[in-house]
Amino acid sequence: MTSDENNTTTIKVGAAGKDVGGYDAAQLTRLQGDARQITARYPHARSGLLPMLHLVQAEDGYVSPTGIAFCADELGLTTAEVSAVATFYTQYKRHPNGEYTVGVCTNTLCAVMGGDAIWDGLTEHLGVGHDETTPDGKVTLERIECNAACDYAPVVMVNWEFFDNQTPDSARATVDKLQAGEKVVPTRGADSVCSFKQMSRVLAGFTDGRADEGVGAGEATQRGTVLAKERGWAAPEFPAATPVPADATATPATPATDATPATGAPQSSAERPATLPADTAKES
Amino acid sequence: MSVSTLTPVLSAQWDATRSWTLATYEAGGGYAGLRHAFTQEPAAVLATVKDSGLRGRGGAGFPTGLKWSFLPAPDGGPRYLVVNADESEPGTCKDVPLMMATPQYLIEGSIITSYAIGCHHAFIYVRGEVLHVYRRLLRAVEEAYAAGYLGKNIMGTGYDLDITVHAGAGAYICGEETALLDSLEGLRGQPRLKPPFPAVEGLYARPTVVNNVESIASVPAIVMGGSDWFRTMGTEKSAGFGLFSLSGHVVRPGQYEAPLGITLRELLDLAGGIREGHELKFWTPGGSSTPLFTAEHLDVPLDYESVGAAGSMLGTRALQIFDETTCVVRAVTRWMEFYAHESCGKCTPCREGTYWLKAVLRRIEAGQGSMEDLDVLLDTCDNILGRAFCALGDGATSPVTSALKHFRAEFEQHITAGACPLDPAASALFGYPPRDAGRLAGQMAGTVQA
């Protein structure tokens, strides 16, 4: 729905007084209910800001000025603070998005395997460039970075569902269907691609009940699993007689610690590649 | 230990029907690890993981159990587990299929880990660009609550745990653990100054363990099999199994779960080799942030120590394979465009350095570079490495310096010939007409053979 429908002039401020007049009374009540479900998931409400921005996109199709005011109002932040976060992340759109985001991976591996050709073909076919939307409002085209499906290169994402092993022809066929309003089915994902707004609502943490659709794993994912079975390979058996009581009873949890590092002692922060001589010198 | 076979543990059920459901997971032995963990004191569970030698599967390889043990003594306040499911390192594609196919491994591992460290609210931070994976995780958590594996008084033990699955919104930097924590707190995802480390002041400035998906998913099997069982696989210092992700110019790209220490030659044998009629040119052992290897490294055991000794890093075991049709300058330029795009801007060496590296590389790739540019590249890398705020900047230099080390002549060819000596269409999996035929004709005419 658009924010203009049933708009009234009576509701202009949210709970904390920000101007959220772009939403009518019913919309505002509904969104406030959603926002409070989001913040309830976290010990501190501000952690709900990213999902709340997804929620705004579910409502408006982008991070609208009204949506920013709404988030600020719900979380007791300034609109500048919300905007600072919204502009940091690539999934938050600063102008109305098409019904479908079509992302072509042009990071090195996909690009080399054919992603560049797919990109060239789609830009030419649709007549739009990166982060631009077709005049019919259907497709927003994006160059995207690695989406963790390199064994299915070249990869195209439609509203962040996987379209594996693509060619310029298959990608063109997909956008043609999207523009024609036909159903489009990802290779690994739900049984059909949902709209940008529906997707955004899921990313805000509101399930759409479609988790059981689609495959568990694609062919490339399963290759090692299947090969091991064919050749009779397996990990070693667990040692015999690992006792597993039917109904475990244990003493209440008492946190285990056997070290209290001084601030600055070598520890968890080492989750980064070893790049300096000192990194490997510490290895023991 | 000779490594020639696969050891599916995390991937054992990936071909099962409805593999993502709790029912399938339990039928395959799922949640036996949790039951076993609950018969022990948390300290004993921690000791098992520590003794197993499990090292962080997210890239750095820091010992997982040791990381847990750095949490300060309980002070009555909350402590958190945060699972890093922001898999974004170019080439890395193991956690996303794991969570799509069998999310319960991660849920069970999260419960056991939380029990071991005394956490009552765990978070899974998954990147926002994998919609169906997020659906599967939400559903997996729902099923675990319904079965009594999450919530209050889990399985009558008196232990309580909640798990929140949180979707990011598109930022590679959020894979850095402190940037991830800032993002989870509702801020821009920028890395924090360390110390204090997350173990002391992490999420909401409380003691926090941040671990990769594959690390946490490995915990149930370690608790079931014991540390000695885990150590029967892998090498002395790089124990256990891991997912090796083959992509690029190989006949059968995919996920191959094997003991650490397997070689690329062995993996290529399982994956059908390089595509027919071609030969290996260069590859990454663990994502684009790990220095490139070449055919001379085919027999390097893929464990932390051996890969490090050979001049790279095991990273995430993201083996991106490129054959002789691939232009290394094009590959490195594209990676640099990625790093420049993803640099968070907080520190100058990374923000400015990746910007200029990108610009100089583009000039060379377009055939407009000079020999001095090669020195500029190395000098810029020198000014980033070790001076950046976090590992993103350091990692960005790896492809540049390693490509210049192994393929300097190819950079020089671009400069002397004024064009790329290779045809990009030859690298693709399908034929396509060159967009700029004139440019290609110029390339063909150039005398660029070494």
Side-chain angles (χ1 to χ4, degrees):
Chain A
M1 91 175 55
T2 73
S3 56
D4 294 324
E5 284 176 71
N6 304 318
N7 203 357
T8 71
T9 54
T10 50
I11 301 294
K12 283 295 181 190
V13 294
K18 292 262 175 356
D19 178 2
V20 289
Y23 296 140
D24 65 38
Q27 245 182 327
L28 193 58
T29 305
R30 176 169 47 79
L31 289 172
Q32 282 172 340
D34 288 344
R36 279 150 210 181
Q37 281 187 54
I38 288 173
T39 53
R41 299 175 199 145
Y42 304 93
H44 296 264
R46 178 152 184 177
S47 283
L49 180 53
L50 265 65
M52 215 177 284
L53 286 164
H54 285 303
L55 177 70
V56 164
Q57 298 209 116
E59 191 70 15
D60 295 336
Y62 75 117
V63 176
S64 62
T66 303
I68 287 174
F70 170 76
C71 292
D73 197 68
E74 284 297 310
L75 295 172
L77 301 171
T78 65
T79 51
E81 285 170 319
V82 175
S83 294
V85 172
T87 53
F88 185 82
Y89 298 93
T90 52
Q91 279 184 289
Y92 297 135
K93 316 303 285 190
R94 299 162 78 170
H95 42 81
N97 202 73
E99 192 174 349
Y100 302 98
T101 287
V102 174
V104 182
C105 180
T106 54
N107 200 304
T108 298
L109 190 115
C110 275
V112 165
M113 303 298 283
D116 278 355
I118 293 172
W119 172 258
D120 287 349
L122 282 188
T123 50
E124 205 162 296
H125 184 63
L126 294 172
V128 295
H130 172 70
D131 199 23
E132 292 176 1
T133 304
T134 52
D136 60 4
K138 286 287 187 186
V139 174
T140 299
L141 193 60
E142 282 185 37
R143 295 173 74 104
I144 62 169
E145 300 298 356
C146 185
N147 221 72
C150 315
D151 43 352
Y152 295 97
V155 171
V156 170
M157 306 295 294
V158 180
N159 282 347
W160 304 111
E161 296 269 33
F162 288 105
F163 286 68
D164 301 324
N165 304 117
Q166 293 295 290
T167 66
D169 288 343
S170 67
R172 196 178 309 120
T174 298
V175 299
D176 283 349
K177 280 188 183 177
L178 291 173
Q179 290 195 289
E182 291 171 34
K183 175 177 159 181
V184 165
V185 185
T187 39
R188 288 177 297 138
D191 290 342
S192 64
V193 171
C194 65
S195 73
F196 180 83
K197 287 185 177 180
Q198 289 167 333
M199 171 200 78
S200 297
R201 184 163 178 85
V202 176
L203 293 181
F206 297 100
T207 180
D208 60 2
R210 305 185 71 179
D212 286 340
E213 296 178 15
V215 299
E219 188 184 2
T221 302
Q222 295 182 40
R223 275 196 169 117
T225 308
V226 170
L227 184 68
K229 277 194 179 164
E230 282 170 9
R231 302 204 182 171
W233 294 337
E237 293 282 324
F238 291 142
T242 297
V244 180
D247 194 32
T249 49
T251 50
T254 46
T257 55
D258 60 0
T260 306
T263 301
Q267 45 140 313
S268 70
S269 64
E271 189 103 270
R272 65 174 180 81
T275 47
L276 306 173
D279 293 337
T280 42
K282 278 186 291 196
E283 202 69 61
S284 60
Chain B
M1 172 180 171
S2 162
V3 178
S4 58
T5 63
L6 299 172
T7 51
V9 177
L10 303 180
S11 62
Q13 300 289 322
W14 285 359
D15 59 342
T17 308
R18 291 170 62 85
S19 59
W20 63 89
T21 62
L22 179 60
T24 305
Y25 185 61
E26 287 182 314
Y31 282 96
L34 180 64
R35 289 187 168 81
H36 189 46
F38 277 155
T39 65
Q40 306 168 44
E41 288 291 328
V45 176
L46 192 152
T48 300
V49 174
K50 202 170 178 180
D51 294 345
S52 74
L54 173 66
R55 294 171 65 171
R57 299 295 193 237
F62 193 83
T64 303
L66 189 61
K67 199 172 189 179
W68 298 359
S69 72
F70 283 134
L71 290 185
D75 62 0
R79 39 219 278 139
Y80 298 109
L81 168 68
V82 177
V83 177
N84 185 344
D86 192 53
E87 181 167 70
S88 311
E89 168 77 9
T92 307
C93 49
K94 61 188 182 67
D95 297 338
V96 158
L98 186 156
M99 294 184 287
M100 175 100 86
T102 48
Q104 291 291 351
Y105 274 92
L106 179 58
I107 308 303
E108 186 185 0
S110 299
I111 301 169
I112 297 172
T113 303
S114 297
Y115 174 71
I117 65 171
C119 154
H120 299 287
H121 195 163
F123 297 86
I124 298 171
Y125 185 110
V126 63
R127 64 183 300 187
E129 302 108 318
V130 284
L131 177 63
H132 209 55
V133 169
Y134 186 52
R135 286 192 184 110
R136 290 261 162 94
L137 286 170
L138 288 174
R139 180 71 189 131
V141 167
E142 257 177 31
E143 285 199 288
Y145 271 107
Y149 295 129
L150 285 172
K152 298 284 181 202
N153 189 23
I154 297 169
M155 298 164 70
T157 58
Y159 174 66
D160 306 336
L161 177 67
D162 288 310
I163 292 183
T164 298
V165 189
H166 177 96
Y172 168 67
I173 187 62
C174 291
E176 198 280 339
E177 62 176 6
T178 61
L180 186 152
L181 293 174
D182 263 23
S183 180
L184 184 52
E185 291 184 5
L187 302 164
R188 294 164 74 90
Q190 292 187 313
R192 299 174 179 175
L193 190 65
K194 294 183 283 196
F197 294 95
V200 178
E201 288 184 31
L203 186 64
Y204 313 125
R206 293 295 306 168
T208 302
V209 166
V210 186
N211 278 140
N212 165 261
V213 168
E214 191 186 353
S215 309
I216 294 294
S218 299
V219 167
I222 290 171
V223 168
M224 277 302 290
S227 55
D228 289 342
W229 169 82
F230 191 67
R231 285 182 172 281
T232 60
M233 292 167 276
T235 68
E236 190 194 339
K237 289 185 174 175
S238 298
F241 50 83
L243 292 162
F244 290 83
S245 310
L246 272 72
S247 61
H249 292 129
V250 294
V251 174
R252 289 188 295 276
Q255 308 300 318
Y256 296 84
E257 193 173 8
L260 301 189
I262 196 169
T263 65
L264 180 61
R265 190 184 300 279
E266 291 168 319
L267 285 164
L268 278 176
D269 185 46
L270 300 175
I274 302 291
R275 65 175 176 159
E276 195 171 348
H278 295 277
E279 58 187 35
L280 176 63
K281 182 175 178 182
F282 61 94
W283 55 292
T284 65
S288 61
S289 302
T290 61
L292 297 176
F293 273 169
T294 66
E296 70 183 84
H297 302 100
L298 272 167
D299 295 310
V300 173
L302 295 172
D303 59 61
Y304 295 101
E305 290 69 33
S306 304
V307 177
S312 189
M313 293 175 282
L314 185 60
T316 52
R317 288 149 281 118
L319 309 163
Q320 303 174 91
I321 316 282
F322 299 94
D323 70 19
E324 83 291 346
T325 63
T326 313
C327 171
V328 74
V329 179
R330 177 187 178 206
V332 174
T333 304
R334 196 59 61 89
W335 277 321
M336 194 53 62
E337 289 172 350
F338 163 77
Y339 289 111
H341 181 252
E342 300 296 336
S343 175
C344 79
K346 181 162 182 163
C347 78
T348 307
C350 177
R351 182 187 64 242
E352 301 299 318
T354 54
Y355 173 87
W356 285 107
L357 286 173
K358 176 184 73 175
V360 174
L361 281 164
R362 278 179 173 170
R363 181 160 71 192
I364 296 170
E365 190 196 1
Q368 293 158 3
S370 68
M371 289 298 180
E372 290 74 34
D373 283 345
L374 303 183
D375 298 326
V376 170
L377 289 179
L378 290 175
D379 187 50
T380 308
C381 288
D382 225 28
N383 279 293
I384 297 173
L385 185 64
R387 292 173 172 82
F389 205 89
C390 77
L392 190 154
D394 293 345
T397 68
S398 292
V400 181
T401 49
S402 59
L404 276 165
K405 177 178 158 194
H406 297 299
F407 300 101
R408 193 180 178 100
E410 193 169 319
F411 283 81
E412 292 174 353
Q413 283 175 11
H414 283 74
I415 295 165
T416 54
C420 175
L422 293 157
D423 172 13
S427 304
L429 291 181
F430 43 78
Y432 65 92
R435 202 180 201 194
D436 183 353
R439 181 168 157 265
L440 191 65
Q443 289 167 20
M444 295 302 190
T447 51
V448 292
Q449 295 308 310

